[in-house]
Amino acid sequence: QVQLVESGGGLVQAGGSLGLSCAASGSIFRINVMGWYRQAPGKTRELVAVISGGGSANYVDAVKGRFTISRDNAKNTVFLQMNSLKPEDTAVYYCNADLVPLGAGRTSYTYWGQGTQVTVSS
């Protein structure tokens, strides 16, 4: 059984910083891409940032220069450092991983964390 467990998040004033982390656990053979998505009230879930196993990162335009995604492959963990936060960053943030479970051959599956609330006050 594979699980993604997130930590971090909370309430912060505009201009502040928060860090999120997400650890994948269970019977994992290989983790390919890991990423963060967010969903604001009344809106669809959107991609925030993704990072490959080799460390190549991509960001949605709205967070470029403010957010940094990183990962620790030895610990199967992905991080999101969020700086210069804005009220429009308020959302539930979800961790995402495309990974190959043990015994699955080469087939990869997508897993999601439970979500963590980030609230930015003006």
Side-chain angles (χ1 to χ4, degrees):
Q1 194 80 354
V2 175
Q3 281 189 314
L4 301 184
V5 179
E6 299 152 351
S7 59
L11 173 64
V12 66
Q13 288 188 331
S17 299
L18 281 175
L20 305 179
S21 63
C22 171
S25 63
S27 300
I28 299 170
F29 173 66
R30 183 182 69 246
I31 301 178
N32 299 322
V33 176
M34 300 187 83
W36 291 94
Y37 289 69
R38 66 186 180 187
Q39 187 167 16
K43 295 188 176 181
T44 57
R45 191 173 299 187
E46 65 170 356
L47 173 67
V48 176
V50 291
I51 185 168
S52 70
S56 177
N58 285 286
Y59 301 88
V60 67
D61 286 346
V63 308
K64 283 181 180 177
R66 300 188 297 121
F67 290 12
T68 302
I69 188 171
S70 60
R71 64 190 280 176
D72 183 335
N73 290 331
K75 296 182 178 180
N76 290 340
T77 301
V78 63
F79 306 94
L80 186 68
Q81 179 62 38
M82 304 181 290
N83 299 327
S84 302
L85 282 160
K86 304 175 181 180
E88 51 263 45
D89 294 318
T90 295
V92 177
Y93 283 70
Y94 295 90
C95 172
N96 169 281
D98 178 76
L99 63 86
V100 180
L102 280 173
R106 296 182 178 182
T107 304
S108 64
Y109 299 88
T110 299
Y111 292 84
W112 292 90
Q114 78 281 4
T116 186
Q117 178 70 46
V118 171
T119 302
V120 184
S121 63
S122 57

